[in-house]
Amino acid sequence: MKQNLITDIIQGMLPYLNNAQGKRLQEVLQSTFVNYEITENTGNMKESERDYVEIFLAAKRIEGCSEKSLRYYKATIEAMLATLDKNVEYIVTDDIREYLTQYQQKNDLSKVTIDNIRRILSSFFSWLEDEDYILKNPVRRIHKVKTGVNIKETYSDEALELMRDNCQELRDLAMIDMLASTGMRVGEMVLLNQNDIDFNERECIVFGKGSKERVVYFDARTKIHLQNYLDSRNDNNPALFVSLKAPHERLKIGGIETRLREYGKQLGLHKVHPHKFRRTLATMAIDKGMPIEQLQQLLGHRKIDTTLQYAMVKQSNVKIAHRKYIG
């Protein structure tokens, strides 16, 4: 109770004190109250607390965060607040550490997942600190969770050709080629319309994360297969890819994932997934010498570190480079 009172006093004095003065005031209050017993008058409590989560989400929405990301932020932050059952002003570093530890053990989460939660909580509390809603970010001293480097699988040339050779529908062949040659996200592909495709330049504009536009390119084989698919259609849906059966609705992400998974089972291929095409293109581009900055732009990554995670250079190329440059 004493610490909560001290926190409330410091919070109220934030506009009038610098960091050093605030720290000194906190020390004085702690030493002054050490011999006093303090009780809370519940009758004077605020009838309603500021909804910090909604204010934070509104700020992130203005910054351009997608609704999908905002829902993830909201669920993550509210789960933490419900578990700790404390006002945000009184949450300290030990609270967050204990929450992350117990949450990971209870749900058997990977280090990558728990670090994503840590990152979201840090963003939330950093924003509260910047806006002077709290004294300091309690997640600041909780460092990034160290995760091992997992070399994720890519498709071999044989696997890609096997999928192409066994496509039973023109749509599926065009869909696989589109993913393989552009490296676009499946979420970007389902938003494409027929008039978005420039067949002369073999390119199209996609809307990536944060509603950012970028140009992606496809090869001649994809152009032919895509034209064959569109010529075979007799519906009026403007979407680039639609369901096979009437009323031929725009394909959704889940529909594409299911279709590819079915092909994988039929052909005995391991983990056939749309995102694997993107990773395969990135790896192939790096192996063939594409500058990482250009690949970053092609994939639509804000940070180059993200691009490097996708591009796993083949060990055989490392061996060749060693002989070339070192001996």
Side-chain angles (χ1 to χ4, degrees):
M1 185 56 63
K2 291 180 184 179
Q3 186 56 50
N4 289 352
L5 178 60
I6 292 172
T7 300
D8 287 340
I9 294 172
I10 299 296
Q11 191 74 36
M13 293 298 293
L14 275 179
Y16 314 103
L17 304 174
N18 58 34
N19 290 338
Q21 292 169 333
K23 185 177 181 180
R24 180 56 183 157
L25 175 59
Q26 185 171 9
E27 293 171 352
V28 171
L29 290 172
Q30 287 174 336
S31 61
T32 301
F33 290 155
V34 69
N35 294 320
Y36 288 86
E37 191 66 34
I38 298 174
T39 59
E40 182 179 19
N41 184 355
T42 57
N44 291 332
M45 289 181 65
K46 298 178 183 179
E47 292 183 1
S48 61
E49 291 289 345
R50 186 186 299 271
D51 194 343
Y52 293 110
V53 179
E54 291 302 325
I55 301 173
F56 169 71
L57 294 176
K60 301 302 286 184
R61 184 176 286 109
I62 293 173
E63 293 175 9
C65 281
S66 68
E67 290 302 317
K68 181 179 179 181
S69 295
L70 292 175
R71 288 193 295 271
Y72 184 42
Y73 290 170
K74 180 180 175 69
T76 301
I77 297 168
E78 288 184 344
M80 177 271 300
L81 293 175
T83 301
L84 296 183
D85 195 23
K86 296 175 70 173
N87 195 297
V88 292
E89 291 98 334
Y90 306 139
I91 293 175
V92 296
T93 301
D94 286 343
D95 293 329
I96 302 296
R97 282 201 183 103
E98 184 177 358
Y99 170 74
L100 291 175
T101 300
Q102 292 182 354
Y103 194 78
Q104 182 180 26
Q105 293 174 348
K106 180 181 178 181
N107 297 281
D108 193 24
L109 300 175
S110 67
K111 291 182 179 180
V112 173
T113 301
I114 207 67
D115 192 61
N116 285 337
I117 295 173
R118 178 204 61 82
R119 180 175 48 81
I120 291 172
L121 297 182
S122 181
S123 176
F124 173 58
F125 283 107
S126 291
W127 180 84
L128 290 174
E129 180 182 358
D130 292 341
E131 296 294 322
D132 291 333
Y133 292 132
I134 62 174
L135 293 175
K136 63 179 181 179
N137 173 12
V139 191
R140 181 182 300 164
R141 289 185 292 163
I142 302 177
H143 302 297
K144 184 181 186 299
V145 179
K146 293 182 179 180
T147 57
V149 178
N150 296 321
I151 298 179
K152 297 180 179 179
E153 294 181 2
T154 59
Y155 294 118
S156 65
D157 292 340
E158 292 81 0
L160 289 173
E161 290 306 316
L162 191 61
M163 280 188 278
R164 291 188 178 103
D165 290 344
N166 287 274
C167 279
Q168 301 167 359
E169 301 289 343
L170 291 174
R171 183 203 65 179
D172 297 345
L173 180 57
M175 199 165 62
I176 287 174
D177 277 336
M178 199 69 172
L179 288 170
S181 65
T182 64
M184 68 173 67
R185 302 176 179 93
V186 64
E188 296 167 344
M189 190 172 74
V190 297
L191 296 177
L192 286 174
N193 291 324
Q194 297 182 45
N195 58 12
D196 292 328
I197 307 299
D198 185 340
F199 284 105
N200 290 329
E201 297 296 328
R202 298 209 309 260
E203 64 184 35
C204 61
I205 296 176
V206 297
F207 290 89
K209 292 184 177 180
S211 298
K212 295 179 181 177
E213 292 185 2
R214 77 178 190 283
V215 180
V216 297
Y217 309 93
F218 50 89
D219 56 23
R221 173 167 52 183
T222 302
K223 173 182 176 179
I224 293 172
H225 292 161
L226 194 55
Q227 286 177 327
N228 290 340
Y229 162 61
L230 294 177
D231 290 342
S232 71
R233 283 172 52 178
N234 54 13
D235 61 89
N236 296 319
N237 195 319
L240 182 62
F241 293 106
V242 296
S243 59
L244 297 174
K245 297 180 180 179
H248 303 293
E249 296 178 343
R250 180 187 295 270
L251 270 183
K252 297 180 180 179
I253 294 175
I256 295 176
E257 290 176 341
T258 300
R259 190 68 169 177
L260 291 175
R261 194 159 48 241
E262 290 173 354
Y263 276 117
K265 290 180 180 179
Q266 293 173 11
L267 302 173
L269 298 176
H270 184 59
K271 292 183 179 179
V272 175
H273 189 272
H275 205 75
K276 201 168 178 180
F277 290 97
R278 183 171 166 84
R279 193 182 306 125
T280 301
L281 179 137
T283 303
M284 179 182 66
I286 288 293
D287 286 341
K288 291 186 176 181
M290 186 176 190
I292 192 68
E293 296 83 3
Q294 294 179 14
L295 179 59
Q296 177 189 6
Q297 184 175 354
L298 181 66
L299 296 177
H301 290 152
R302 187 168 60 89
K303 295 181 179 180
I304 201 166
D305 288 349
T306 308
T307 312
L308 289 171
Q309 291 176 6
Y310 281 76
M312 300 299 178
V313 182
K314 294 178 181 176
Q315 189 64 35
S316 59
N317 287 1
V318 176
K319 182 177 181 180
I320 294 171
H322 180 274
R323 289 179 176 176
K324 178 179 178 181
Y325 295 108
I326 301 174

